[in-house]
Structures are given as C-alpha cells and as structure tokens.
Amino acid sequence: MTRPRSHTIHHVTQNGGLYKRPFNEAFEETPMLVAVLTYVGYGVLTLFGYLRDFLRHLRIEKCHRATEREEQKDFVSLYQDFENFYTRNLYMRIRDNWNRPICSVPGARVDIMERQSHDYNWSFKYTGNIIKGVINMGSYNYLGFARNTGACQEAAARVLEQYGVGVCSTRQEIGNLDKHEELEKLVASFLGVEAAMTYGMGFATNSMNIPALVGKGCLILSDELNHASLVLGARLSGATIRIFKHNNMQSLEKLLKDAIVYGQPRTRRPWKKILILVEGIYSMEGSIVRLPEVIALKKKYKAYLYLDEAHSIGALGPTGRGVVDYFGLDPEDVDVMMGTFTKSFGASGGYIGGKKELIDYLRTHSHSAVYATSLSPPVVEQIVTSMKCIMGQDGTTLGKECIQQLAENTRYFRRRLKEMGFIIYGNEDSPVVPLMLYMPAKIGAFGREMLKRNIGVVVVGFPATPIIESRARFCLSAAHTREILDTALKEIDEVGDLLQLKYSRHRLVPLLDRPFDETTYEETED
C-alpha cells in the first residue's frame, strides 16, 4: 500500500507562535492509477525474473551472478539467492544509471567517462570518449565550493606543501595538528556552541558517536526516514529503539508520553536517557524537520535532542548556519549538533558540537575519535577557508551571496517544476528536490534520456525508497546560473512529456504575498 500522504499541497504553519516564518511543505498523494500500474510493473518484472532464474538453472541463459562451487554444495549457503533476486533481475536492468565515473571537478558542469555494456549491465567497458560539459544536478555542492580555482584551492595547495597529505596517526597520539585545533574553534564559533570536535568521515560521525552517548537502559526515538548512519549508530548502541512517523509531532509525543508513563519493559524502571534523533533536511524527501516543535516536546518531557545537519548546514538559514538558523532558534536548545563537511563545504568529514562537557567526553569515549586517523591537512584548510567565507571573515560578501543564490535557485526551480505538472516532494526552501517517477521502467528511462540531453541526474528506487515511490532527486547549487537552470528545466519538461511523468492533479495558488493565519491550507484541483 502507499504511505499515507496529505492531500494538502500548500501548508503554512505557525503553530501558536512556535514558528517565526511560514513552514511550507508539499507531499501530494500518489494517484491511484499510477500506484496500481506501478505495482503491476513490479509484478511483471518479478515474474520475468523467476523465468530468467529458471532458464539460468537449466543453463539456457548464462549466469553472471556469484554462485556456490559444486564441492561446497553441502556447506551452509554463502549467497542467499532469493535475497539477491532484486539485484539480479530488477536492479541490473537499470544499473547503468549509477556509478557513472566523472573526470572533473563536481561543479555546475562535469565531464563523464563514456562506458558501454555488452552483457546487460553486468559489466562495463570504457569507450575512451569523454562526455563534456554535462549539467550537474546531482552533487551536494550546495554553495559551490567544490572547485579547483579560487581562495579555497589556493589555501589548500599552500597547506599541502607545508603539511603533506596524510597525518598517519590518530588525534590522541601524534596526529593532532594546529590546523585541527583551529578548525574546531572555528566550527564552535560558527555553530554558536561551547565546543566542537571534528571527524574524518561523516557516516562514522553518526554511527560511532551515538553508541558513545546511549546504551542499554536508554531509549532512542528515531524518525522513520532517518539516514542509514543514524540507524546503524542506534543499533550499535544497544539502546531500545522506537520509530515515530516522519515529521509527525503527534506520533513523537505519544512515544514520549508512553516512555515516561510505562518506563522500561518488564521492570518499569525509568529510562536512563531518552534521545530524539532527527535530521535537518531529509535527503530523499526534501523535507525540513519541524525543529521548533521537536524542541518544545524535548523540553516538555526532559529528553535529549540529536540533530543531524548533514544536508542543512550551509544550505539553510540567512547566515548558512543550518536549520537552527533557519527557524531563528537558540543553538543551546539542541543537545548534540552533528553535521558534515562533505556538502556545503566541498570537503570531507563531520563534526559534533555542543557543551564542553559533551565534547570532552566524546574525545575519550568515541571510537571514531580514539581509533580513526585525523583529517587530512589540505581538507581541513578547505573547510576553514570555505567556512570563513560563509561567515564573512575573508573580507568579502561571497559567502552571503552564495547563500542567497542557493535560496533563489531553490525556490525558482521548485516553482517551475510544479508549474509544469510534476509531483514534487518537500519543503519549498529545501535544495533537495525529489521529482516522483513511480514506475520501475521510468527510473532507467529518465536517467538515460537526461544524459542524452547532457544533463546528469540521480534516480532513486527501492530499497532506498518505498517500492512505489521511485524518484529523481535534484540537488541545487549556488554555482547554477539561471541559464543553466532554464536549460535543465527545458529538457526536464521535454522528458516529462516523453515519459508521461506529469502526474500532479493540483496547481498551486501563491500565498507568498498575502497574510497568513496560524495554519493555512490551500488546494485547487484541475
């Protein structure tokens, strides 16, 4: 069945003064006919998959997948054939849409190495040709700092000459450089917190730090659409995990009430800690966390809040300080502020920010702090230079201009796609823009047709999304000019007509120039 979706297209919320600005998100319900045809499409693919597996068993069709050797047939199976069914028979049909190798800076345009497959995507061979100047609508280069010229590149090159590439040690041993100390002070200042700690990998920042914060006897309340790194960290912690519906404050409050009233299972003892896990921007839905409401509930029920700002830091807020800045909230209301440098800063790694006591504790108890190699010095300098630019400490207004450009690009691109008749998910201020494809055949077709038109896009299907909610995911950047966006929109419009992707039954009524009450709903149907 389809996930329940609100029929509301334009939803502006103030919620009794919690919100200082309109909160506007759109999640149009999947049309019934489209849902039925999507299930039928997957059904047909599944039937043909079983047929092909039968032909492979009879050795009529060549088998490319990994199989057990004959002499190991009595051993416990290493490869579960049924578990790999989707990969063999569905994913392989459209595998050419992923892992495309680029050979340039991931800026507004990229160069892609052309490749071909002669065995139905089981393997690829490079032709030696380069597809040049492909419009890049997939990279998380939100503020355009992924570049090989300019202040960031020059600063990183200078540090490379002085420090080299690798540190070859952990922070606790002999890998703690003055550059690392400088970065952490700058991050704390940028976030408005007492202290911060940096890590070499964004994924590990979540997966290795959550187990250091909670354990057995603790309760984690996690949004159902949280990133895999948060899910893994929660599972590794040994804490009890309960899931609340995405961005649904009624669901979260019910779990909090039950946790307070009933305590731990069997013993009924109070939970040692209750930790709420949320993201700033959800990278598949394009939605923004209802942070004012989450903070209100956290304070009401005396819970802790862990905020993952991987996609929102740099990309949201008038000063680029993320979702806390976007809502005009106090950073002290968030107990653990996590983010990554891999997106808006054009680098790699992640950070945790918060009280000094928290950071001092993590320095000695976090696995990613104790055992992982330190950040590479040129990468540190890339982060420092780009962050100073965002903060205006470089003496220019470039950072502020990039933030404003990203916001303008986001609203323009989302509005144009909705006007064309596509179903677009998420918040109007989110630079992550999901365009719904639904049917399995259209996943591969959309990616290929766009590349034919010199536009690189990311298409996403099951298991990264629910099985009937396949989508293309565009990521806007401050590096995108209006000319680039108009070119992309023209081609998207053409491909949308070709593949019949304009499923929306609604048209938007602009509410931006009129006063709003606490909750305004507006919907029209053609």
Side-chain angles (χ1 to χ4, degrees):
M1 294 297 291
T2 62
R3 274 188 298 161
R5 289 286 183 188
S6 170
H7 287 278
T8 305
I9 291 301
H10 217 76
H11 181 190
V12 181
T13 308
Q14 269 202 294
N15 198 2
L18 282 178
Y19 290 83
K20 300 175 183 177
R21 58 179 299 151
F23 187 79
N24 187 359
E25 291 195 343
F27 294 98
E28 186 174 338
E29 189 177 43
T30 307
M32 180 59 71
L33 179 61
V34 174
V36 170
L37 291 176
T38 302
Y39 279 120
V40 170
Y42 276 107
V44 171
L45 284 172
T46 302
L47 288 174
F48 272 92
Y50 279 115
L51 174 62
R52 295 185 71 181
D53 276 358
F54 178 69
L55 295 176
R56 289 166 186 151
H57 179 71
L58 297 178
R59 301 184 186 280
I60 295 173
E61 180 177 332
K62 185 177 180 181
C63 178
H64 295 277
R65 73 182 189 276
T67 56
E68 304 290 349
R69 291 184 294 176
E70 187 65 26
E71 56 266 33
Q72 292 179 312
K73 63 181 180 180
D74 295 326
F75 286 34
V76 175
S77 179
L78 180 62
Y79 304 106
Q80 296 294 328
D81 282 347
F82 184 77
E83 292 176 7
N84 295 325
F85 179 86
Y86 179 87
T87 301
R88 290 196 308 274
N89 297 300
L90 283 77
Y91 169 71
M92 278 299 166
R93 293 174 176 267
I94 54 176
R95 184 177 170 224
D96 56 302
N97 286 280
W98 291 280
N99 308 315
R100 288 171 177 155
I102 70 170
C103 52
S104 67
V105 174
R109 293 181 182 269
V110 293
D111 298 337
I112 298 179
M113 297 173 67
E114 188 180 59
R115 59 182 183 174
Q116 294 178 344
S117 177
H118 301 289
D119 54 5
Y120 304 101
N121 293 337
W122 285 93
S123 65
F124 295 97
K125 291 184 178 179
Y126 297 109
T127 64
N129 297 328
I130 304 296
I131 308 173
K132 292 188 174 292
V134 176
I135 294 177
N136 180 8
M137 299 300 298
S139 294
Y140 306 132
N141 183 27
Y142 296 130
L143 294 181
F145 284 115
R147 59 180 74 149
N148 56 2
T149 59
C152 291
Q153 181 270 333
E154 292 168 2
R158 287 194 300 270
V159 169
L160 176 62
E161 289 181 5
Q162 181 181 353
Y163 290 85
V165 176
V167 180
C168 303
S169 183
T170 67
R171 293 286 298 276
Q172 288 194 353
E173 294 169 341
I174 202 168
N176 189 31
L177 304 180
D178 56 343
K179 284 292 174 184
H180 296 130
E181 300 282 350
E182 178 189 355
L183 173 61
E184 289 178 349
K185 289 178 182 176
L186 185 65
V187 170
S189 172
F190 181 64
L191 298 176
V193 295
E194 290 181 8
M197 185 171 183
T198 57
Y199 304 87
M201 182 182 179
F203 191 98
T205 305
N206 278 333
S207 61
M208 293 290 99
N209 280 299
I210 293 173
L213 297 172
V214 290
K216 190 174 181 181
C218 299
L219 175 65
I220 291 176
L221 302 180
S222 178
D223 190 289
E224 66 178 341
L225 296 183
N226 274 342
H227 189 262
S229 59
L230 290 168
V231 174
L232 179 60
R235 289 175 176 171
L236 290 175
S237 71
T240 301
I241 305 169
R242 290 177 184 162
I243 310 300
F244 62 91
K245 293 178 182 177
H246 175 56
N247 244 354
N248 188 314
M249 296 303 106
Q250 291 76 24
S251 175
L252 174 59
E253 184 166 22
K254 183 180 185 303
L255 290 179
L256 284 165
K257 282 181 178 177
D258 290 347
I260 299 299
V261 171
Y262 298 111
Q264 299 184 43
R266 294 188 298 275
T267 66
R268 300 305 178 195
R269 291 175 181 170
W271 295 100
K272 294 178 182 177
K273 296 176 194 170
I274 300 176
L275 181 66
I276 302 170
L277 298 183
V278 293
E279 294 185 49
I281 292 178
Y282 291 84
S283 60
M284 285 297 170
E285 304 295 306
S287 54
I288 296 175
V289 65
R290 295 176 176 270
L291 192 60
E293 295 175 71
V294 174
I295 288 176
L297 289 175
K298 167 236 170 185
K299 289 180 176 179
K300 181 178 179 181
Y301 294 99
K302 304 296 188 290
Y304 294 97
L305 176 59
Y306 186 110
L307 174 63
D308 178 346
E309 292 223 68
H311 286 269
S312 54
I313 193 68
L316 283 182
T319 61
R321 285 170 168 82
V323 71
V324 176
D325 183 32
Y326 176 78
F327 287 113
L329 302 172
D330 186 349
E332 289 190 3
D333 289 335
V334 180
D335 300 287
V336 187
M337 297 185 71
M338 176 272 173
T340 65
F341 303 122
T342 55
K343 301 167 180 69
S344 293
F345 303 97
S348 64
Y351 66 82
I352 294 280
K355 298 284 187 185
K356 187 176 184 302
E357 293 84 357
L358 168 70
I359 302 305
D360 289 343
Y361 172 82
L362 288 176
R363 288 192 193 280
T364 55
H365 290 81
S366 168
H367 284 76
S368 52
V370 177
Y371 300 109
T373 302
S374 306
L375 271 167
S376 172
V379 172
V380 172
E381 190 63 21
Q382 164 76 20
I383 302 165
V384 168
T385 308
S386 57
M387 192 173 289
K388 285 182 176 179
C389 182
I390 295 170
M391 297 170 73
Q393 292 184 8
D394 62 341
T396 72
T397 58
L398 177 62
K400 185 177 180 181
E401 291 168 5
C402 288
I403 294 166
Q404 291 174 345
Q405 186 64 54
L406 175 63
E408 291 173 11
N409 287 351
T410 296
R411 288 197 171 225
Y412 175 73
F413 192 76
R414 281 182 166 274
R415 177 174 57 81
R416 288 288 308 277
L417 287 178
K418 288 178 181 178
E419 288 172 355
M420 291 174 187
F422 294 104
I423 293 181
I424 304 299
Y425 277 4
N427 193 287
E428 67 177 12
D429 292 323
S430 169
V432 178
V433 186
L435 183 153
M436 304 309 293
L437 303 175
Y438 297 111
M439 300 180 195
K442 294 185 180 182
I443 302 173
F446 187 82
R448 292 170 190 141
E449 288 296 329
M450 293 303 292
L451 187 59
K452 282 181 187 177
R453 292 161 172 78
N454 230 39
I455 298 174
V457 301
V458 172
V459 288
V460 190
F462 179 82
T465 67
I467 196 163
I468 71 153
E469 291 190 9
S470 302
R471 63 198 67 179
R473 184 185 65 178
F474 303 103
C475 290
L476 278 302
S477 171
H480 290 140
T481 63
R482 183 60 61 91
E483 180 186 5
I484 287 176
L485 292 181
D486 285 339
T487 301
L489 286 163
K490 175 179 175 295
E491 301 298 346
I492 293 168
D493 188 28
E494 183 180 313
V495 174
D497 289 331
L498 177 67
L499 302 180
Q500 298 182 2
L501 296 173
K502 298 178 179 180
Y503 302 118
S504 181
R505 297 169 296 176
H506 308 82
R507 59 183 176 84
L508 300 185
V509 177
L511 298 178
L512 301 178
D513 299 326
R514 53 175 274 195
F516 54 87
D517 55 12
E518 289 190 358
T519 302
T520 303
Y521 295 91
E522 185 101 1
E523 174 185 11
T524 60
E525 293 209 18
D526 292 329

